[in-house]
Amino acid sequence: MLDAAHRISALDVPNAYAKHSFASCELSLLQIGRFQDEPHKGQIYFNNNHFEHAMHSTVLLEARLEQASLLKKVVDAIKDLVQDCNFDCNDSGIALQAMDNSHVALVSMMLKSESFSPFRCDRNIALGINLSSLTKVLRCAQNEDILTMKAEDAPDVVNFTFESSESDRMAEYDIKLMDIDQEHLGIPETEYAATIEMPSTEFQRITRDLTALSESVSIECTKDGVSFKCSGDIGNGSVTLRSHTNVEKPEQNIEINLSEPVALTFSLKYLMNFCKASGLSSSVKLCLSNEVPLLVEYGLSNNSYLRFYLAPKIGDEE
Amino acid sequence: MPSLDSETTAPSSTPSREEAIFSDEATRPTTPPSSPPGFPWERVQQKQDATSENAITQSSPPRKNAFSVLGKRKALEDVSDNGPPRKQSKTIKTKDGASRMVQMQMSLGQEVQKRCAQCGMEYTASSAEDRKLHDKFHKQNVEGYDVGKDFVSKTLQTNRLPRKFDGVKDGDAIVLLDCTDPWQRKKKGQAVLEIVQKELGAVEIPEKDLWETKGQATDNPKFKAYLYIRGTKCIGFVLTERIKEALEVVQPEDVTAKPSQSTKAKTTALAALQARKDAERQTLLEADKRPLQLSHTPSPAQLGISRIWTSPTHRGQGIAKCLLDTALTHTKSCHYFDLVKRVELIHNSAASPAKKGAKKNEAKQIYHPKIEMKESDVAFSQPTESGARLARRWIGKPYGWLVYID
């Protein structure tokens, strides 16, 4: 039965329909949803025993975002760390993982399929995109536009459509894809000694303030609270935060979970880079353990996230 | 006057290179420089990661091992050049305790040594210094060597022969470089030659031989370099050498001229011409596939193509052919000038009867460049595969052209 179906090419679907009475075969959607073996011949869908041949038969990925601002902000936040990277698309969503040139920081993004409506990805595919090109194209979208990302099978471009939610304006852009040789690195699951959740604006402010004084910050977390200290040419500074719960404005909460005290030093330049993601989420989570990279996580809706890892600086023993 | 003696002494000035052999086929098209192979701990780390990966994931990971990973390496410069460069005072580095900190790097088993697919250079991707080196090499390799904007306009002016020629496109120029050029220009020629040597996998020509002036006629030095300049980039290069004899490329015995089948079925002259052209192309293609076979008896040759190269991105535009044409015409006119000069010399010596006999003899012995030089008088030093293809296309025959051993 499947064999018969396999022989149907996209072009002679009507004929095939005439010759084989599929109704009698009682094909179910489960049995043949799509022909993965013959991706070039298009996707044929069987709905209630009659099938329709989609016009965009070769579209492999289609992801629609209600608000273009999400992708705009994500790309803005990472474009200074990474130049080119692969967007790995599969049926669970779109993921991105890249290390910066100097191997000091790592970006890991996951946009779950639930963040899109609808989301369709028929096969795992890696779209190699130059982020500065992507930024250029995303600048053409307004924050409230509906964004649709499309890619065909074996694509050489990725297509972006921006539809205005108010008017009938529709803009379409293609970005040429690149062949990026990128290894997928496994990030070890780590249990962190300290987890600090705070408003992302607060973290941004601390980072910005301390950058004026020094190029590195030492983050010290004890049961009393967390302090960000720096010392530079002109003097030194420190900001201390304590656990704090605001019932009226829960986004102002500061939550500190600690299993053992930690103290680590990080480059402020990188942290400044990470803070560009502040617009994505009202709160940010910092996870620290001694001798382990810092994790800065911006949680997005539907379990999507944008994570940054940063290797610490340590004292030179020599 | 000293130029006369030079003819006899010059060829022996390079005895050291006589036995030099270079392989025709390099394993890679280019042999780019590579940075030192990383840091020992990185290799070890990678291995460990590979072997202990399972162990770590199964047993509850000791926290330290999670990113065990953190490798320590002093950044060669400021850590990243992604962000804007920041000024930093030197006092911080030396005095302050906090600034004696060293930035760690993450190591998740990522590749540390990276090989550029385009230019083939291997470098440490995480080092800003190495990346810069690679960028420079990559650009040179892909776009050609930058000679600077004044290079063409500052071509040496001589009252005798032109040293600047036209290229295949408007604005392109071919510039002659030889021992009479100032050292800055020679240096640029040397730099281009270095790139060329690397790509050809050729034996280095010692600098002193290349620009040898001692006892040579400055009008017609042994080595001449022609640089093809487009914009400010040198994208083509040929180094010619004065030679006396070369070996002919002979047709392998098993390749016999096929009886032309088209003779019977000839209908029109046009069709016949077409058929003949096709057959010629076919023999050329076949000849390209075979190793070169040389005759054992040397034949006379005038001009040796020592090195010829076109930048990889500019191939197929006729640049090498244009360079060969230029070299040929220029050599012809050099020979003509030589002749004129020699005739003058003989006249002069005729005026002083005491030396007359000796000078005449010498002139006769030494002098034999042909004025009527053709493509077939040009010989190629052991050509690469693409070099042989070029030679065949330029001379116009698959066999019977000349190769010399340098």
Side-chain angles (χ1 to χ4, degrees), chain A residues 80-81 83 99-106 183 185-193 211 214-215 231 233 259-260 265 267 269-270 289 291-293 309-318, chain B residues 61 63-70 72 74 78-84 86-89 91-93 96 98-112 114 125-127 131:
Chain A
D80 290 324
L81 283 170
Q83 282 87 44
M99 211 178 258
D100 87 309
N101 263 335
S102 38
H103 296 186
V104 171
L106 186 132
E183 318 147 85
L185 309 168
I187 301 172
E189 279 294 320
T190 311
E191 265 184 47
Y192 288 96
T211 303
S214 172
E215 47 187 38
S231 75
D233 266 357
S259 62
E260 60 176 285
T265 307
S267 154
K269 191 172 73 181
Y270 280 95
S289 264
E291 294 182 31
V292 162
Y309 294 87
L310 177 61
K313 287 180 162 187
I314 65 161
D316 193 356
E317 295 107 26
E318 291 144 47
Chain B
R63 216 172 267 149
K64 269 186 189 170
N65 266 349
F67 271 81
S68 59
V69 276
L70 287 178
K72 184 165 75 165
K74 264 182 207 154
D78 198 6
V79 163
S80 158
D81 50 5
N82 288 331
R86 286 161 54 82
K87 274 188 191 167
Q88 37 176 257
S89 58
T91 48
I92 291 191
K93 286 216 155 166
D96 203 336
S99 57
R100 264 191 270 112
M101 308 231 82
V102 180
Q103 175 68 61
M104 300 285 99
Q105 293 183 327
M106 260 182 247
S107 133
L108 295 168
Q110 76 269 26
E111 240 172 62
V112 179
K114 211 169 142 184
S126 57
S127 145
R131 276 203 307 278

Side-chain angles (χ1 to χ4, degrees), chain B residues 347-360:
Chain B
H347 268 277
N348 289 348
S349 56
S352 54
K355 287 178 183 174
K356 186 178 166 182
K359 281 290 162 191
K360 241 184 185 169

